[in-house]
Amino acid sequence: RIWSVSESPFPDVHEKWFNCNGRQFKKLAYAGLIWLERHHQTVNALNVFPVPDGDTGTNMLLTMRSAYKRIQDSDENHVGKVAGLLAQGALMGARGNSGVILSQIWRGLARSLQNKASFDAPGLAQAFQEAANTAYNGVIKPVEGTILTVVREGAEEAQDAARKSRDLRFVLDRILERANQALERTPQMLPV
């Protein structure tokens, strides 16, 4: 399991949420960092491609720590600026293949959000699509059954969910559900 909206960094997960600014985005990034802090060993155990090196979760955690360090003392409210700083921190601190791919995901999100003070559900869906595209383009030989599949399917779900609701919590919940489903299928996608 990747995450659920019930683990949200926001106090009332049942309240509708239609817009996300830089401070709220910072909270989402922090929630991702905390999840990796707690579960990086689980992610290490999942890794089998290209070799079962057992450090994917650790590399993602180190990359995410570097990304978050760029914004941890910031009170910036412009989501594009926060996303840009996160992407820059992830790139500068990327560790291993998984960290590089994670930095590309942040880069795509940041590119999509760069001129936005905040985003809504369609803006989130667009940012996820750009994140998936950037991650795929950042790998010489993209392979299904990896983090790339998970981010691509999450982006597809974001598009569908944003057409059904403008509530960001609903969209995030759907993205996470689909990402979890994709993660469950990844072992069947790889010959190894």
Side-chain angles (χ1 to χ4, degrees):
R1 193 173 121 270
I2 296 171
W3 191 60
S4 73
V5 172
S6 64
E7 297 171 297
S8 170
F10 301 101
D12 184 357
V13 297
H14 302 293
E15 181 181 316
K16 293 204 182 287
W17 178 40
F18 298 106
N19 217 305
C20 181
N21 63 32
R23 289 186 191 119
Q24 292 165 323
F25 193 65
K26 178 182 173 180
K27 289 180 183 180
L28 289 172
Y30 183 69
L33 172 60
I34 294 303
W35 188 94
L36 276 170
E37 293 276 0
R38 293 179 184 159
H39 301 285
H40 69 279
Q41 292 296 350
T42 301
V43 178
N44 284 342
L46 292 171
N47 183 46
V48 296
F49 183 84
V51 293
D53 52 13
D55 64 354
T56 295
T58 301
N59 287 336
M60 291 176 76
L61 173 59
L62 293 172
T63 302
M64 194 61 199
R65 281 179 182 163
S66 177
Y68 190 77
K69 187 175 181 180
R70 295 299 292 242
I71 63 165
Q72 72 183 10
D73 296 325
S74 173
D75 285 328
E76 179 61 58
N77 203 37
H78 189 281
V79 76
K81 291 178 182 177
V82 173
L85 289 171
L86 277 165
Q88 185 180 40
L91 178 63
M92 298 308 291
R95 302 289 189 272
N97 290 334
S98 58
V100 170
I101 293 170
L102 179 58
S103 77
Q104 293 305 298
I105 292 168
W106 280 118
R107 181 174 167 233
L109 277 167
R111 184 180 310 139
S112 181
L113 299 174
Q114 68 184 350
N115 297 318
K116 296 181 180 180
S118 64
F119 64 81
D120 57 8
L124 177 63
Q126 180 182 16
F128 261 87
Q129 188 60 59
E130 183 64 28
N133 292 344
T134 302
Y136 270 85
N137 290 333
V139 176
I140 294 171
K141 292 182 182 178
V143 175
E144 294 300 324
T146 65
I147 187 175
L148 294 172
T149 303
V150 176
V151 72
R152 177 183 51 76
E153 289 197 25
E156 290 168 2
E157 192 63 34
Q159 298 291 328
D160 184 56
R163 284 190 290 273
K164 293 178 179 168
S165 176
R166 299 198 56 87
D167 181 5
L168 285 167
R169 292 182 199 283
F170 172 80
V171 175
L172 284 169
D173 196 31
R174 293 281 305 275
I175 292 168
L176 293 167
E177 183 178 328
R178 177 81 177 270
N180 279 318
Q181 291 168 358
L183 180 63
E184 290 295 320
R185 287 192 315 278
T186 58
Q188 289 79 47
M189 296 176 166
L190 290 168
V192 291

